[in-house]
Short mmCIF file of all heavy atoms in Angstrom, two decimals:
data_model
loop_
_atom_site.label_atom_id
_atom_site.label_comp_id
_atom_site.label_asym_id
_atom_site.label_seq_id
_atom_site.Cartn_x
_atom_site.Cartn_y
_atom_site.Cartn_z
N GLU J 11 10.45 -8.32 29.67
CA GLU J 11 10.76 -6.98 30.14
C GLU J 11 10.61 -5.94 29.05
O GLU J 11 10.03 -4.87 29.25
CB GLU J 11 12.20 -6.94 30.69
CG GLU J 11 12.30 -7.45 32.12
CD GLU J 11 11.24 -6.83 33.03
OE1 GLU J 11 11.27 -5.60 33.18
OE2 GLU J 11 10.40 -7.56 33.58
N LYS J 12 11.11 -6.30 27.88
CA LYS J 12 11.01 -5.41 26.71
C LYS J 12 9.57 -4.98 26.49
O LYS J 12 9.29 -3.78 26.31
CB LYS J 12 11.56 -6.14 25.51
CG LYS J 12 11.50 -5.39 24.20
CD LYS J 12 12.19 -6.17 23.06
CE LYS J 12 12.09 -5.45 21.72
NZ LYS J 12 12.95 -6.04 20.69
N LEU J 13 8.68 -5.94 26.54
CA LEU J 13 7.27 -5.62 26.30
C LEU J 13 6.71 -4.79 27.45
O LEU J 13 6.04 -3.78 27.23
CB LEU J 13 6.46 -6.91 26.13
CG LEU J 13 6.73 -7.67 24.83
CD1 LEU J 13 5.96 -8.98 24.82
CD2 LEU J 13 6.38 -6.84 23.61
N ARG J 14 6.99 -5.25 28.67
CA ARG J 14 6.41 -4.54 29.81
C ARG J 14 6.90 -3.07 29.84
O ARG J 14 6.11 -2.17 30.12
CB ARG J 14 6.81 -5.25 31.09
CG ARG J 14 5.60 -5.85 31.79
CD ARG J 14 5.88 -6.12 33.25
NE ARG J 14 6.58 -7.38 33.44
CZ ARG J 14 5.95 -8.56 33.65
NH1 ARG J 14 4.63 -8.62 33.70
NH2 ARG J 14 6.63 -9.66 33.81
N ASN J 15 8.15 -2.88 29.52
CA ASN J 15 8.69 -1.55 29.52
C ASN J 15 8.01 -0.62 28.48
O ASN J 15 8.05 0.58 28.60
CB ASN J 15 10.19 -1.57 29.22
CG ASN J 15 10.96 -2.16 30.38
OD1 ASN J 15 10.47 -2.22 31.51
ND2 ASN J 15 12.17 -2.63 30.11
N SER J 16 7.42 -1.26 27.47
CA SER J 16 6.74 -0.47 26.44
C SER J 16 5.26 -0.32 26.75
O SER J 16 4.51 0.23 25.95
CB SER J 16 6.87 -1.15 25.10
OG SER J 16 8.15 -1.69 24.93
N GLY J 17 4.82 -0.85 27.89
CA GLY J 17 3.39 -0.78 28.18
C GLY J 17 2.58 -1.81 27.45
O GLY J 17 1.36 -1.68 27.32
N LEU J 18 3.26 -2.85 26.95
CA LEU J 18 2.55 -3.93 26.26
C LEU J 18 2.57 -5.17 27.16
O LEU J 18 3.63 -5.58 27.59
CB LEU J 18 3.23 -4.27 24.92
CG LEU J 18 3.27 -3.14 23.86
CD1 LEU J 18 4.16 -3.57 22.70
CD2 LEU J 18 1.88 -2.80 23.40
N ARG J 19 1.41 -5.75 27.40
CA ARG J 19 1.38 -6.94 28.24
C ARG J 19 2.09 -8.08 27.51
O ARG J 19 1.84 -8.34 26.33
CB ARG J 19 -0.05 -7.36 28.50
CG ARG J 19 -0.69 -6.55 29.57
CD ARG J 19 -1.97 -7.20 30.00
NE ARG J 19 -2.64 -6.36 30.97
CZ ARG J 19 -3.90 -6.54 31.36
NH1 ARG J 19 -4.60 -7.51 30.83
NH2 ARG J 19 -4.43 -5.75 32.22
N PRO J 20 2.97 -8.77 28.20
CA PRO J 20 3.69 -9.90 27.58
C PRO J 20 2.80 -11.11 27.48
O PRO J 20 2.90 -12.06 28.27
CB PRO J 20 4.87 -10.12 28.54
CG PRO J 20 4.38 -9.62 29.85
CD PRO J 20 3.42 -8.51 29.57
N THR J 21 1.94 -11.13 26.50
CA THR J 21 1.06 -12.25 26.30
C THR J 21 1.81 -13.37 25.60
O THR J 21 2.87 -13.14 24.99
CB THR J 21 -0.15 -11.86 25.47
OG1 THR J 21 0.32 -11.49 24.16
CG2 THR J 21 -0.91 -10.71 26.08
N LYS J 22 1.24 -14.54 25.65
CA LYS J 22 1.87 -15.69 25.01
C LYS J 22 2.10 -15.41 23.50
O LYS J 22 3.17 -15.67 22.96
CB LYS J 22 0.91 -16.88 25.16
CG LYS J 22 1.35 -18.18 24.52
CD LYS J 22 0.32 -19.27 24.83
CE LYS J 22 0.26 -20.34 23.72
NZ LYS J 22 -1.01 -21.08 23.73
N GLN J 23 1.06 -14.84 22.87
CA GLN J 23 1.17 -14.60 21.42
C GLN J 23 2.28 -13.58 21.12
O GLN J 23 3.08 -13.76 20.19
CB GLN J 23 -0.16 -14.05 20.89
CG GLN J 23 -1.30 -15.07 20.89
CD GLN J 23 -2.05 -15.14 22.20
OE1 GLN J 23 -1.60 -14.65 23.22
NE2 GLN J 23 -3.23 -15.72 22.19
N ARG J 24 2.31 -12.50 21.88
CA ARG J 24 3.34 -11.48 21.61
C ARG J 24 4.73 -12.04 21.83
O ARG J 24 5.66 -11.71 21.07
CB ARG J 24 3.10 -10.27 22.52
CG ARG J 24 1.99 -9.40 22.03
CD ARG J 24 1.71 -8.25 22.98
NE ARG J 24 0.61 -7.43 22.50
CZ ARG J 24 -0.08 -6.56 23.25
NH1 ARG J 24 0.23 -6.48 24.55
NH2 ARG J 24 -1.03 -5.85 22.74
N LEU J 25 4.90 -12.88 22.86
CA LEU J 25 6.19 -13.44 23.12
C LEU J 25 6.65 -14.37 21.98
O LEU J 25 7.78 -14.36 21.56
CB LEU J 25 6.21 -14.17 24.47
CG LEU J 25 6.11 -13.23 25.67
CD1 LEU J 25 5.85 -13.99 26.96
CD2 LEU J 25 7.39 -12.40 25.81
N GLN J 26 5.65 -15.14 21.49
CA GLN J 26 5.98 -16.03 20.37
C GLN J 26 6.33 -15.23 19.12
O GLN J 26 7.24 -15.59 18.38
CB GLN J 26 4.77 -16.95 20.10
CG GLN J 26 4.59 -17.99 21.20
CD GLN J 26 3.42 -18.90 20.94
OE1 GLN J 26 2.38 -18.47 20.42
NE2 GLN J 26 3.55 -20.16 21.28
N ILE J 27 5.61 -14.15 18.90
CA ILE J 27 5.93 -13.33 17.72
C ILE J 27 7.29 -12.68 17.90
O ILE J 27 8.07 -12.59 16.95
CB ILE J 27 4.81 -12.30 17.49
CG1 ILE J 27 3.51 -13.02 17.08
CG2 ILE J 27 5.20 -11.30 16.40
CD1 ILE J 27 2.28 -12.15 16.93
N CYS J 28 7.61 -12.29 19.11
CA CYS J 28 8.97 -11.79 19.38
C CYS J 28 10.04 -12.80 19.01
O CYS J 28 11.06 -12.45 18.41
CB CYS J 28 9.10 -11.42 20.88
SG CYS J 28 8.51 -9.80 21.32
N GLU J 29 9.79 -14.05 19.38
CA GLU J 29 10.77 -15.09 19.06
C GLU J 29 11.00 -15.14 17.54
O GLU J 29 12.13 -15.19 17.09
CB GLU J 29 10.27 -16.45 19.55
CG GLU J 29 10.29 -16.66 21.03
CD GLU J 29 11.71 -16.71 21.61
OE1 GLU J 29 12.63 -17.15 20.91
OE2 GLU J 29 11.86 -16.26 22.77
N VAL J 30 9.90 -15.14 16.81
CA VAL J 30 10.01 -15.27 15.36
C VAL J 30 10.71 -14.02 14.76
O VAL J 30 11.56 -14.13 13.91
CB VAL J 30 8.63 -15.44 14.73
CG1 VAL J 30 8.72 -15.41 13.21
CG2 VAL J 30 8.02 -16.77 15.18
N LEU J 31 10.38 -12.84 15.28
CA LEU J 31 10.89 -11.62 14.71
C LEU J 31 12.32 -11.32 15.14
O LEU J 31 13.15 -10.88 14.31
CB LEU J 31 10.02 -10.43 15.10
CG LEU J 31 8.63 -10.35 14.46
CD1 LEU J 31 7.88 -9.14 15.02
CD2 LEU J 31 8.75 -10.23 12.94
N PHE J 32 12.60 -11.53 16.44
CA PHE J 32 13.85 -10.95 16.96
C PHE J 32 14.88 -11.97 17.38
O PHE J 32 16.05 -11.64 17.56
CB PHE J 32 13.54 -10.03 18.13
CG PHE J 32 12.49 -8.99 17.79
CD1 PHE J 32 11.31 -8.87 18.52
CD2 PHE J 32 12.68 -8.15 16.70
CE1 PHE J 32 10.36 -7.92 18.19
CE2 PHE J 32 11.75 -7.19 16.37
CZ PHE J 32 10.56 -7.08 17.12
N ASN J 33 14.50 -13.23 17.57
CA ASN J 33 15.46 -14.22 17.99
C ASN J 33 16.08 -14.87 16.75
O ASN J 33 15.94 -16.05 16.50
CB ASN J 33 14.78 -15.27 18.85
CG ASN J 33 15.80 -16.15 19.57
OD1 ASN J 33 16.97 -15.79 19.67
ND2 ASN J 33 15.34 -17.29 20.04
N THR J 34 16.80 -14.07 15.98
CA THR J 34 17.37 -14.52 14.70
C THR J 34 18.80 -14.05 14.57
O THR J 34 19.19 -13.06 15.19
CB THR J 34 16.56 -13.95 13.53
OG1 THR J 34 16.58 -12.53 13.63
CG2 THR J 34 15.16 -14.45 13.54
N GLU J 35 19.53 -14.73 13.73
CA GLU J 35 20.91 -14.34 13.40
C GLU J 35 20.89 -12.95 12.75
O GLU J 35 21.64 -12.07 13.11
CB GLU J 35 21.48 -15.31 12.35
CG GLU J 35 22.03 -16.61 12.90
CD GLU J 35 23.22 -16.42 13.81
OE1 GLU J 35 24.15 -15.74 13.41
OE2 GLU J 35 23.19 -17.00 14.93
N ARG J 36 20.01 -12.82 11.77
CA ARG J 36 20.02 -11.62 10.94
C ARG J 36 18.63 -10.95 10.99
O ARG J 36 17.65 -11.62 11.22
CB ARG J 36 20.27 -11.99 9.47
CG ARG J 36 21.59 -12.66 9.23
CD ARG J 36 21.60 -13.34 7.87
NE ARG J 36 22.94 -13.81 7.53
CZ ARG J 36 23.91 -12.99 7.08
NH1 ARG J 36 23.71 -11.71 6.92
NH2 ARG J 36 25.11 -13.49 6.81
N THR J 37 18.66 -9.68 10.70
CA THR J 37 17.38 -9.00 10.55
C THR J 37 16.79 -9.38 9.19
O THR J 37 17.50 -9.92 8.34
CB THR J 37 17.61 -7.46 10.57
OG1 THR J 37 18.45 -7.14 9.48
CG2 THR J 37 18.20 -7.02 11.88
N PHE J 38 15.51 -9.14 9.03
CA PHE J 38 14.90 -9.50 7.74
C PHE J 38 13.70 -8.63 7.44
O PHE J 38 13.21 -7.90 8.29
CB PHE J 38 14.52 -10.99 7.74
CG PHE J 38 13.52 -11.36 8.81
CD1 PHE J 38 12.15 -11.44 8.51
CD2 PHE J 38 13.94 -11.66 10.11
CE1 PHE J 38 11.25 -11.78 9.50
CE2 PHE J 38 13.02 -12.01 11.08
CZ PHE J 38 11.67 -12.07 10.77
N HIS J 39 13.27 -8.72 6.19
CA HIS J 39 12.12 -7.98 5.69
C HIS J 39 10.95 -8.94 5.57
O HIS J 39 11.16 -10.09 5.25
CB HIS J 39 12.40 -7.41 4.30
CG HIS J 39 13.67 -6.63 4.22
ND1 HIS J 39 14.65 -6.90 3.32
CD2 HIS J 39 14.13 -5.63 4.97
CE1 HIS J 39 15.65 -6.08 3.48
NE2 HIS J 39 15.36 -5.28 4.48
N PHE J 40 9.76 -8.46 5.79
CA PHE J 40 8.62 -9.39 5.66
C PHE J 40 7.32 -8.60 5.40
O PHE J 40 7.20 -7.43 5.75
CB PHE J 40 8.46 -10.21 6.92
CG PHE J 40 8.13 -9.38 8.16
CD1 PHE J 40 6.81 -9.17 8.53
CD2 PHE J 40 9.13 -8.82 8.94
CE1 PHE J 40 6.49 -8.42 9.63
CE2 PHE J 40 8.82 -8.07 10.05
CZ PHE J 40 7.51 -7.85 10.41
N THR J 41 6.39 -9.35 4.79
CA THR J 41 5.01 -8.87 4.69
C THR J 41 4.22 -9.64 5.77
O THR J 41 4.73 -10.62 6.31
CB THR J 41 4.40 -9.21 3.33
OG1 THR J 41 4.34 -10.64 3.20
CG2 THR J 41 5.20 -8.59 2.22
N ILE J 42 3.03 -9.19 6.04
CA ILE J 42 2.22 -9.86 7.06
C ILE J 42 1.99 -11.33 6.66
O ILE J 42 2.08 -12.22 7.51
CB ILE J 42 0.88 -9.13 7.25
CG1 ILE J 42 1.09 -7.72 7.80
CG2 ILE J 42 -0.05 -9.94 8.16
CD1 ILE J 42 1.53 -7.63 9.23
N ASN J 43 1.75 -11.55 5.41
CA ASN J 43 1.53 -12.95 4.96
C ASN J 43 2.73 -13.81 5.17
O ASN J 43 2.62 -14.97 5.58
CB ASN J 43 1.11 -12.98 3.49
CG ASN J 43 -0.36 -12.63 3.33
OD1 ASN J 43 -1.13 -12.71 4.29
ND2 ASN J 43 -0.73 -12.17 2.16
N GLU J 44 3.90 -13.27 4.87
CA GLU J 44 5.13 -14.04 5.07
C GLU J 44 5.35 -14.31 6.56
O GLU J 44 5.75 -15.42 6.94
CB GLU J 44 6.33 -13.26 4.53
CG GLU J 44 6.36 -13.24 2.99
CD GLU J 44 7.30 -12.20 2.42
OE1 GLU J 44 7.95 -11.47 3.21
OE2 GLU J 44 7.37 -12.09 1.18
N LEU J 45 5.06 -13.31 7.39
CA LEU J 45 5.20 -13.50 8.82
C LEU J 45 4.24 -14.58 9.34
O LEU J 45 4.60 -15.42 10.16
CB LEU J 45 4.96 -12.19 9.57
CG LEU J 45 5.04 -12.24 11.09
CD1 LEU J 45 6.42 -12.74 11.52
CD2 LEU J 45 4.75 -10.87 11.69
N GLU J 46 3.01 -14.51 8.83
CA GLU J 46 2.01 -15.50 9.23
C GLU J 46 2.52 -16.91 8.94
O GLU J 46 2.40 -17.82 9.78
CB GLU J 46 0.70 -15.26 8.45
CG GLU J 46 -0.48 -16.05 8.94
CD GLU J 46 -1.68 -15.88 8.04
OE1 GLU J 46 -1.54 -15.40 6.89
OE2 GLU J 46 -2.80 -16.26 8.45
N GLN J 47 3.11 -17.10 7.76
CA GLN J 47 3.64 -18.41 7.38
C GLN J 47 4.79 -18.82 8.31
O GLN J 47 4.83 -19.95 8.81
CB GLN J 47 4.13 -18.32 5.95
CG GLN J 47 4.37 -19.68 5.30
CD GLN J 47 3.17 -20.60 5.46
OE1 GLN J 47 2.05 -20.27 5.05
NE2 GLN J 47 3.32 -21.76 6.11
N LYS J 48 5.67 -17.88 8.57
CA LYS J 48 6.84 -18.13 9.45
C LYS J 48 6.35 -18.56 10.84
O LYS J 48 6.92 -19.47 11.46
CB LYS J 48 7.65 -16.84 9.58
CG LYS J 48 9.15 -17.05 9.48
CD LYS J 48 9.89 -15.74 9.41
CE LYS J 48 10.78 -15.72 8.16
NZ LYS J 48 12.13 -15.22 8.40
N ILE J 49 5.30 -17.90 11.31
CA ILE J 49 4.78 -18.23 12.63
C ILE J 49 4.19 -19.64 12.63
O ILE J 49 4.45 -20.44 13.53
CB ILE J 49 3.71 -17.20 13.05
CG1 ILE J 49 4.38 -15.84 13.37
CG2 ILE J 49 2.90 -17.68 14.23
CD1 ILE J 49 3.41 -14.69 13.54
N LYS J 50 3.46 -19.97 11.57
CA LYS J 50 2.88 -21.30 11.45
C LYS J 50 3.98 -22.36 11.50
O LYS J 50 3.81 -23.41 12.12
CB LYS J 50 2.13 -21.41 10.11
CG LYS J 50 0.66 -21.06 10.21
CD LYS J 50 -0.05 -21.44 8.91
CE LYS J 50 -1.40 -20.73 8.79
NZ LYS J 50 -1.61 -20.20 7.42
#
Side-chain angles (χ1 to χ4, degrees):
Chain J
E11 279 311 299
K12 178 175 177 169
L13 290 176
R14 246 199 277 269
N15 291 340
S16 320
L18 298 172
R19 281 193 185 167
T21 64
K22 180 179 151 200
Q23 291 88 344
R24 282 177 180 161
L25 289 170
Q26 289 180 323
I27 293 175
C28 276
E29 289 292 330
V30 174
L31 289 176
F32 307 123
N33 193 17
T34 57
E35 279 295 311
R36 300 164 171 282
T37 61
F38 61 96
H39 309 126
F40 64 92
T41 64
I42 295 289
N43 281 339
E44 288 165 0
L45 178 58
E46 190 187 15
Q47 195 52 57
K48 223 172 235 225
I49 288 169
K50 269 189 197 137

